[in-house]
Amino acid sequence: AATGVCSILRYAISIEKEEIFLAHQAAKQTLVEYVNKVSNAGMDQRIMTIGFARRATPYKRATMIFNDIERLRKITQHCGKLQLVFAGKAHPQDQGGKALIREIFSSRDKLNGDIRIAYLPDYDMEIGRLITAGVDLWLNTPMPPMEASGTSGMKAALNGVPSLSVLDGWWIEGCIEGVTGWAIGNSEPHEQQPPTVTEAETNILYSKLENLIMPLYYQNRDAYLEVMRHAIAINGSFFNTERMMSQYVTKAYFK
């Protein structure tokens, strides 16, 4: 049936949380072992891991999470440890994208091991698969309204990984706050060019990590697994290629 996979994914709401936990831990172990092999980052499977993997270009604002390094460091001191996995290539002529990658490496050095950071080389579909399945939280920080879709977050959701994302692209529809993930700011378009990061967005990102997401992850595993389960059952069941093609056929080609 055309809606077969979509229907099956909706029933993910009935999967035992322990099954989701064990499946995710297996995927996370695979990712951590790969990251440590290629980057020697010393990542630990027990630490909350955030993923960010997409084309490196200024409007994606990959460095937003480093906008206030001292605040980020303090959050980890009383909420629990964090580690971040980045990947993505810049176009050879995209100097802004290349600068963002250099800034991530600079932030890694400034954090001096307080937060373990890896930038994986040779980003491809296989590395994308490892990251979207193995991290605990998917981060997406584009400047509205420039995000066309955001398929990396959809892939993460299929793996039970919730998003912390700016309300742009698919996340305007996909975000049910605290149920499938968390939103950064609102969907109001930014006027600034080149892309900038506002203080308000930074405050929301840090506040949600500090007051909602990390306490849930470290202190209430059952509740965090519930968000993971909803990411599959609600987001995964709707934001997928099968549903997209079905709608193209029924609403466009044969209309």
Side-chain angles (χ1 to χ4, degrees):
T3 56
V5 171
C6 299
S7 299
I8 291 169
L9 286 168
R10 281 195 289 273
Y11 284 105
I13 202 68
S14 64
I15 299 174
E16 292 293 331
K17 292 177 186 176
E18 190 64 17
E19 288 187 44
I20 294 174
F21 175 75
L22 292 174
H24 181 65
Q25 286 303 303
K28 188 174 182 180
Q29 181 179 355
T30 301
L31 172 65
V32 167
E33 289 175 353
Y34 178 81
V35 170
N36 289 340
K37 177 181 177 181
V38 301
S39 71
N40 198 30
M43 292 202 168
D44 187 329
Q45 186 170 344
R46 297 168 294 181
I47 295 175
M48 185 176 192
T49 305
I50 296 176
F52 189 108
R54 51 187 55 83
R55 180 165 57 94
T57 197
Y59 86 85
K60 300 285 190 180
R61 302 188 299 178
T63 57
M64 182 191 289
I65 194 168
F66 303 123
N67 214 38
D68 187 340
I69 281 182
E70 287 310 310
R71 182 174 175 185
L72 183 61
R73 182 182 276 117
K74 288 177 182 177
I75 289 171
T76 64
Q77 288 171 353
H78 69 266
C79 288
K81 293 183 178 181
L82 267 183
Q83 54 195 20
L84 293 98
V85 180
F86 288 88
K89 297 176 181 176
H91 187 279
Q93 296 180 6
D94 188 345
Q95 301 306 319
K98 294 177 184 178
L100 279 179
I101 296 173
R102 289 193 293 270
E103 190 176 338
I104 291 170
F105 278 92
S106 175
S107 298
R108 181 196 65 181
D109 295 339
K110 290 174 184 176
L111 284 161
N112 194 30
D114 292 335
I115 297 176
R116 296 164 185 169
I117 299 168
Y119 203 108
L120 301 182
D122 302 320
Y123 180 53
D124 59 11
M125 291 179 66
E126 178 60 22
I127 291 175
R129 183 187 67 81
L130 288 174
I131 301 175
T132 52
V135 297
D136 300 304
L137 181 71
W138 196 251
L139 182 64
N140 190 29
T141 51
M143 189 175 86
M146 299 183 70
E147 185 70 279
S149 179
T151 53
S152 62
M154 300 177 196
K155 289 183 285 188
L158 283 166
N159 287 283
V161 175
S163 287
L164 171 62
S165 175
V166 168
L167 284 168
D168 197 11
W170 82 288
W171 197 234
I172 295 176
E173 300 175 72
C175 179
I176 304 174
E177 184 70 16
V179 177
T180 60
W182 300 268
I184 301 170
N186 55 44
S187 58
E188 290 297 318
H190 286 216
E191 301 297 330
Q192 303 95 331
Q193 289 293 339
T196 57
V197 175
T198 68
E199 183 177 352
E201 288 174 309
T202 303
N203 285 335
I204 292 171
L205 190 161
Y206 289 145
S207 178
K208 291 198 174 178
L209 276 178
E210 181 176 17
N211 300 312
L212 297 173
I213 300 170
M214 293 179 68
L216 202 67
Y217 180 84
Y218 279 115
Q219 300 170 28
N220 193 343
R221 190 184 85 176
D222 190 71
Y224 200 87
L225 287 167
E226 184 69 9
V227 178
M228 294 177 70
R229 185 160 65 178
H230 278 101
I232 303 170
I234 297 176
N235 287 345
S237 69
F238 185 75
F239 296 97
N240 59 67
T241 305
E242 182 186 65
R243 190 270 309 166
M244 177 189 71
M245 291 305 299
S246 175
Q247 287 188 335
Y248 276 150
V249 169
T250 58
K251 295 186 177 182
Y253 298 137
F254 294 155
K255 187 172 181 180

